[in-house]
Amino acid sequence: MRLMKNASLATLAFMIGAALASSGQAADGGHAHIERQTWSFGGFTGQYDQAQLQRGFQIYKDSCAFCHGLKRVRFRNLAEPGGPQFPEDAVKALAQSWPNKVTDGPDDQGKMFEREPKPFDPILGPYKNDNEARASQNGALPPDLSLIAKARNVEYTGTWWAHPFSMLRDIATSYQEGGPDYIYALLTGYEEPPADFTLAEGMQYNKAFPGHQIAMPPPIAKDSFIKYQDGSGSMEQNARDIAAFLAWAGDPSLNTRKATGWLVMLYLLVTTLLLYAGKRVIWSKIPH
Amino acid sequence: MEHTSSYEPKSSFAKWWDDRLPVARLMHGQFVDFPTPRNLNYLWTFGGILTFCLAAQIVTGIVLAMHYQPSAHEAFNSVEAIRRDVNYGWMIRNFHAVGASMFFIAVYIHIFRGLYYGSYKAPREVLWIIGVIIFLVMMATAFMGYALPWGQMSFWGVTVITNLFSSLNEIIPGVGTAVVEWLWGGYSVSGTTLNRFFSLHYLLPFVLAGLVILHIWALHVAGQNNPTGLDIKTKADAVPMYPYAVAKDAVGMFAFLLLFAWFVFFLPDYLGHADNYIEANPLVTPPHIVPEWYFLPFYAILRAIPSKLGGVTAMFAAIAVLVFVPWLDTSRVRSAKYRPLYKWFFWLLVISCLGLGYLGAKPPEGAYVIWSRIFTVYYFVHFLLVMPIIGLIETPKPLPKSISASVLPSGGGGAPHGAAAAPETR
């Protein structure tokens, strides 16, 4: 009984806190406030949307790949379950026609040579190394995108007293989508700089980027975006799809992980309850 | 507490073996019919949980080491290969990374439980001090483990923490630099540093296992403390470890595993820092270098002191002071349950530690520094002044006559309630 009372009190406190936390966050419209988006793979039940990952890959191929590599993802991964799952033949053809060749060797003559990628090869960007990238990008380095969704996160911007409640809410709802949220905000965050803001030469203003000065020119815009095969598309849709694709690129085992997680939680919950019942029976034999 | 094992070998082989190596007798005596106080609450299940945490870290760690490559060039890549290409590598790696955090959650609860119920007081001083050493070795192990993925936070965390030793230059010029270069194995943090950290990260868990055995040994000599803080005086005060304590430990452990699994499967990266998914780069410093959450209170103490040597000294003193707690506490009563005044100060300490944890993650500026200083001062005042003084001036609440008197409905000091009241005489 006492346990139940404690539990319900804790739940109540938690709910009040969570409500306060969300209002606290809304109140702070600070410098780099990043809106949380709804993702098919978000929360503890989420799974990737295969069609979205396929659209996302199209954006990567038709836009990002001109500067950014995806070296920790291999072509074969694109055909695997839990990802875009393109047909294997399509992936083979894609690898063969990929513009950025693989350096292999040495051959019989001791020379390195270039060859067409095979499905087991990594998805390479256009530059052989960081120096080449910087040389052709005005000193800026386009990062490899394999882990970009994992390597970025959203900072908490609310009040200090609401922070613990916000953390508890994120733990209870298993919020892990800070990376995709940030990518979406970045890709849709290009705008004219405020009047008092001085941009360095060759830089763009972006409201989501830390410091607001970013070297990357807007890859997509309101009036210039990538059209999908069915002819539809918009800047927001593009941004959402590529963010989802990059989330998969950084965490390709998410579908299995969450599905396994539910079995594990179920097993543990049932076992805990059985053990608790067993413990009650054992202890009921003696006064305590 | 003298306790003889009631082990009786059941087969002729068991008898033959028992005459030569009575290990079954030892285990039976220590973990089956060992008398445990009958009033232990769920906070006492964390000892078992911690043993599990260590074992789980060792098992998952050994598997990870089969795939991990401790070199500056390949460390990050090999961790990614584990996540992507090793069968169920993502699960093993999440289990190990989240496991470190769970280990610390459990150890902090365990330490504060000990502080609240006075588990450090005579005759458990050595037990407590071994615990402090375990905590220190755990921290070293976790710190070196966090270096291994060789991400940005790994690299810069190692840089900041190893550089702390250069503050020794303020005592004897040159010594600090020499120590730091000796730790690094060179003139900067490099693959050599990573390699030795890997070696030590593989060694220290086994040192921990040895210390844990000593910890349990010392525990079983003095016997367990309990919420009343009273000693076991009669048979009615205790129940045999099996099935009573074991049944309760199992519930606690599985409930803890629920939390553990939640993080492993649904929040594997929540407790880490996003920057550690960026490969280590000595040329790019992250905007905020923060340690893992379990070091944040100590990191806050380090930065609260305006001098480098002072900060380092305070940080190590914050752990060292725990060694002296058995003698700093002057109260004749163990459990804070019966200490109306001290209880308040205990919770003030808890708040200070949580506050320091919060501040450790914040940049060292403005009000954050002021509050870090306030909480740091209280942390030390608690141990060095509050504990000795309150113990002398406080009037404790009347203690129950015995453990059994505190829990049995009759309130009697051990009148057996039928056969079941003294099950150890079965």
Side-chain angles (χ1 to χ4, degrees), chain B residues 96-415:
Chain B
H96 197 74
V98 168
S101 284
M102 293 297 140
F103 208 157
F104 276 95
I105 290 177
V107 90
Y108 283 131
I109 294 173
H110 191 67
I111 291 170
F112 278 105
R113 190 271 288 151
L115 284 172
Y116 186 80
Y117 292 109
S119 300
Y120 47 82
K121 290 175 80 73
R124 299 188 182 85
E125 302 95 322
V126 172
L127 168 62
W128 171 262
I129 291 169
I130 295 171
V132 177
I133 297 170
I134 290 176
F135 179 48
L136 195 64
V137 177
M138 244 181 93
M139 290 172 81
T141 311
F143 167 67
M144 292 186 206
Y146 191 61
L148 303 186
W150 214 234
Q152 275 288 69
M153 276 302 163
S154 301
F155 181 89
W156 290 98
V158 170
T159 306
V160 168
I161 300 302
T162 48
N163 257 317
L164 294 180
F165 290 94
S166 69
S167 61
L168 291 173
N169 281 339
E170 291 173 34
I171 307 173
I172 309 169
V175 167
T177 312
V179 168
V180 172
E181 284 171 3
W182 176 71
L183 288 173
W184 286 341
Y187 299 106
S188 64
V189 176
S190 68
T192 317
T193 322
L194 173 65
N195 218 259
R196 56 186 57 192
F197 274 28
F198 176 63
S199 170
L200 292 172
H201 184 70
Y202 209 120
L203 168 71
L204 290 182
F206 297 96
V207 174
L208 275 177
L211 287 166
V212 167
I213 290 170
L214 291 181
H215 195 60
I216 296 173
W217 186 0
L219 173 73
H220 282 212
V221 170
Q224 281 160 296
N225 187 29
N226 61 83
T228 61
L230 299 172
D231 292 323
I232 296 178
K233 286 170 198 146
T234 63
K235 284 204 158 183
D237 287 344
V239 289
M241 185 157 171
Y242 180 84
Y244 297 100
V246 171
K248 206 161 185 171
D249 276 347
V251 177
M253 174 135 20
F254 271 78
F256 186 76
L257 278 175
L258 274 166
L259 178 78
F260 202 137
W262 185 260
F263 276 93
V264 167
F265 291 99
F266 302 119
L267 287 159
D269 297 312
Y270 184 80
L271 298 163
H273 198 289
D275 276 11
N276 231 25
Y277 276 105
I278 304 171
E279 197 169 354
N281 184 350
L283 302 176
V284 179
T285 318
H288 298 293
I289 302 172
V290 280
E292 288 284 87
W293 70 268
Y294 38 79
F295 292 139
L296 290 174
F298 299 100
Y299 196 54
I301 291 176
L302 169 78
R303 298 188 305 176
I305 315 286
S307 110
K308 188 171 175 182
L309 182 63
V312 175
T313 312
M315 185 175 74
F316 284 106
I319 299 162
V321 73
L322 295 174
V323 169
F324 303 99
V325 161
W327 297 278
L328 287 168
D329 183 356
T330 52
S331 172
R332 278 170 297 123
V333 171
R334 285 199 191 107
S335 172
K337 213 173 154 183
Y338 306 102
R339 300 184 59 188
L341 192 55
Y342 176 71
K343 202 186 260 185
W344 290 101
F345 288 96
F346 170 83
W347 288 110
L348 209 52
L349 176 72
V350 173
I351 291 169
S352 294
C353 291
L354 291 174
L356 285 168
Y358 175 82
L359 294 162
K362 294 288 165 195
E365 57 196 28
Y368 296 136
V369 177
I370 296 166
W371 279 104
S372 296
R373 287 181 185 159
I374 292 171
F375 287 137
T376 301
V377 167
Y378 184 71
Y379 182 92
F380 287 104
V381 164
H382 180 88
F383 291 112
L384 299 174
L385 293 175
V386 170
M387 271 192 157
I389 294 172
I390 300 281
L392 296 176
I393 61 170
E394 178 184 54
T395 316
K397 285 197 231 165
L399 294 172
K401 275 204 219 69
S402 67
I403 293 173
S404 50
S406 76
V407 285
L408 296 186
S410 66

Side-chain angles (χ1 to χ4, degrees), chain A residues 129-136 141:
Chain A
N129 51 56
D130 289 358
N131 289 3
E132 188 190 336
R134 281 189 195 280
S136 70
L141 176 68

